[in-house]
Amino acid sequence: MRLVIARCSVDYAGRLTAHLPSAPRLILVKADGSVSIHADDRAYKPLNWMSPPCTLKEGTGEDEGVWTVVNKAGEKLIITMEEILHDSSHELGVDPGLIKDGVEAHLQELLADRIDTLGEGYSLIRREYMTAIGPVDILCRDADGATVAVEIKRRGEIDGVEQLTRYLELLNRDPHLAPVRGVFAAQEIKPQARVLATDRGIHCQILDYNALRGIEDDKLRLF
């Protein structure tokens, strides 16, 4: 990973245009080829980015100090350096990934096996669908053939909704998948998380662990 702190301006040219005026920023260039520009706020979310596959060209001569990042669709992220304050590279190696607790991992396995729990006509694309920022728990299609990304938690809280939001932003940049909608699935979903998910157009799904396992509850029933 390459870390560059620089005073720079940034221009994006593609399906739309965007401009970041000159300011000190952090630029991350990852081994997968992705480039993202960060400010000293906004927690995890970059100001602008280019997802892989893409190429980075550092200008020389008259174009020295101008970085041009181009993706396969021909969209460009142009970074104009005014002053580089820090530039370092670090070999991080292969990341072991997020280790989920036993219940979350088992919920994912059970839901993938019983994907129609989400609705009639659903079909599984794959579990642990890899993206540039990590794996989506389940990627599937609904009865109409639309792509659905599912984030699974034992207890659904706001950070889980934020995580799914990041995945959706990235997946919806892929024309082969878009439009992609989200399902936030958990055994229990906190009210604040439900409100945030609803506001972002994400469906909330309560998972019954025993029902997924095919175990009837032991409550007395009249019928």
Side-chain angles (χ1 to χ4, degrees):
M1 179 183 292
R2 184 178 179 186
L3 308 176
V4 178
I5 299 175
R7 179 174 291 278
C8 63
S9 60
V10 183
D11 291 279
Y12 173 82
R15 287 167 291 181
L16 49 81
T17 59
H19 174 71
L20 293 172
S22 176
R25 298 190 175 93
L26 168 65
I27 303 166
L28 297 183
V29 182
K30 294 187 177 181
D32 63 3
S34 63
V35 178
S36 57
I37 296 94
H38 299 260
D40 200 11
D41 63 1
R42 298 164 60 91
Y44 61 86
K45 189 173 182 180
L47 296 166
N48 213 326
W49 70 94
M50 192 70 81
S51 301
C54 57
T55 58
L56 167 61
K57 180 182 178 181
E58 298 185 39
T60 58
E62 293 183 356
D63 292 328
E64 185 175 1
V66 178
W67 290 14
T68 303
V69 187
V70 184
N71 67 9
K72 62 182 180 181
E75 298 169 313
K76 294 182 179 181
L77 194 65
I78 302 170
I79 307 169
T80 304
M81 306 289 189
E82 297 174 15
E83 180 184 9
I84 294 179
L85 306 172
H86 174 86
D87 189 346
S88 64
S89 297
H90 307 270
E91 182 60 53
L92 302 185
V94 178
D95 191 89
L98 178 67
I99 300 175
K100 296 178 177 290
D101 68 33
V103 174
E104 280 189 17
H106 199 204
L107 279 171
Q108 182 192 117
E109 180 182 351
L110 290 170
L111 185 58
D113 191 48
R114 297 166 175 79
I115 198 66
D116 57 356
T117 299
L118 298 176
E120 186 176 352
Y122 273 67
S123 59
L124 179 68
I125 296 176
R126 66 170 297 167
R127 292 172 53 196
E128 299 286 334
Y129 183 89
M130 186 56 65
T131 74
I133 58 174
V136 177
D137 287 336
I138 289 178
L139 198 69
C140 58
R141 296 195 187 280
D142 64 18
D144 297 321
T147 311
V148 181
V150 186
E151 179 64 25
I152 299 172
K153 299 293 183 185
R154 184 170 60 86
R155 180 181 293 107
E157 300 185 8
I158 285 177
D159 59 349
V161 178
E162 295 284 9
Q163 183 180 358
L164 179 54
T165 300
R166 297 196 296 273
Y167 288 141
L168 290 172
E169 288 179 352
L170 190 59
L171 291 169
N172 273 301
R173 293 168 68 98
D174 186 337
H176 299 294
L177 297 176
V180 185
R181 62 183 181 87
V183 172
F184 189 51
Q187 289 179 280
E188 172 192 357
I189 299 177
K190 297 293 185 180
Q192 299 92 331
R194 186 179 291 275
V195 170
L196 180 61
T198 301
D199 181 67
R200 295 182 176 180
I202 295 171
H203 174 69
C204 291
Q205 177 90 23
I206 296 295
L207 299 177
D208 185 326
Y209 188 51
N210 285 335
L212 285 171
R213 295 170 64 200
I215 300 174
E216 295 287 344
D217 65 41
D218 58 0
K219 295 178 182 178
L220 293 176
R221 298 181 180 178
L222 294 176
F223 304 99

